[in-house]
Amino acid sequence: MAHLSYVNIFARDIVALSGFYQRVFGFAEIEAIRSPIFRGLDTGRSSLGFNAAEAYGLLKLDAHAETTGVKFLLNIDVDSLDEVDALVPVAMAAGATLIKAPYETYYHWYQAVLLDPEGNVFRINFMMDREAV
């Protein structure tokens, strides 16, 4: 069975943006794969990569380098409702913008919706009732 190993984000500043996710969620850098145009973070179950603009050319994606609007969102699961509530102000202090304060979804997740310092959407989630999903 295939599995998701990495989600990569094209970032204007790979050091600053990877540092944001390290500070807010405690993800450790995978220093063995660090390069001048890439940073990777170990999220426990997969990895989060940050590519500099030079990666567009390496991947022959130059024609797709100018994107607007929300194209994806990251979902970062935590262990409790209290952890969602606690991480929102931590993320905001680190430069995030709160889009939707923590709330219970119709599918029984407790989540907050935010933008990271480069405008990428991420949600902080606690799955309240996995059976209801």
Side-chain angles (χ1 to χ4, degrees), residues 78-85 110 125-126:
V78 296
D79 294 329
S80 70
L81 280 80
D82 291 341
E83 195 170 0
V84 174
D85 290 336
Y110 186 70
N125 299 310
F126 172 65

Side-chain angles (χ1 to χ4, degrees), residues 25-37:
F25 297 105
F27 298 148
E29 181 181 357
I30 308 168
E31 293 184 17
I33 58 173
R34 177 192 288 185
S35 81
I37 64 167

Side-chain angles (χ1 to χ4, degrees), residues 20 24 87-99 114-115 122:
F20 168 81
V24 173
L87 282 174
V88 169
V90 171
M92 293 174 67
T97 301
L98 181 63
I99 300 299
L114 301 102
L115 298 175
F122 69 99

Side-chain angles (χ1 to χ4, degrees), residues 11-113:
R12 291 185 298 274
D13 185 335
I14 61 171
V15 174
L17 195 57
S18 64
F20 168 81
Y21 284 96
Q22 286 180 286
R23 284 190 303 280
V24 173
F25 297 105
F27 298 148
E29 181 181 357
I30 308 168
E31 293 184 17
I33 58 173
R34 177 192 288 185
S35 81
I37 64 167
F38 183 78
R39 293 293 187 275
L41 302 180
D42 182 354
T43 68
R45 295 182 182 166
S46 61
S47 300
L48 188 57
F50 300 87
N51 294 88
E54 292 89 339
Y56 284 112
L58 293 173
L59 300 171
K60 297 198 179 299
L61 291 171
D62 293 320
H64 305 280
E66 297 298 325
T67 59
T68 59
V70 175
K71 300 294 183 190
F72 68 93
L73 58 90
L74 299 173
N75 290 288
I76 300 170
D77 293 343
V78 296
D79 294 329
S80 70
L81 280 80
D82 291 341
E83 195 170 0
V84 174
D85 290 336
L87 282 174
V88 169
V90 171
M92 293 174 67
T97 301
L98 181 63
I99 300 299
K100 189 167 185 176
Y103 69 103
E104 183 178 341
T105 70
Y106 70 90
Y107 43 89
H108 306 290
W109 290 14
Y110 186 70
Q111 68 180 19
V113 181

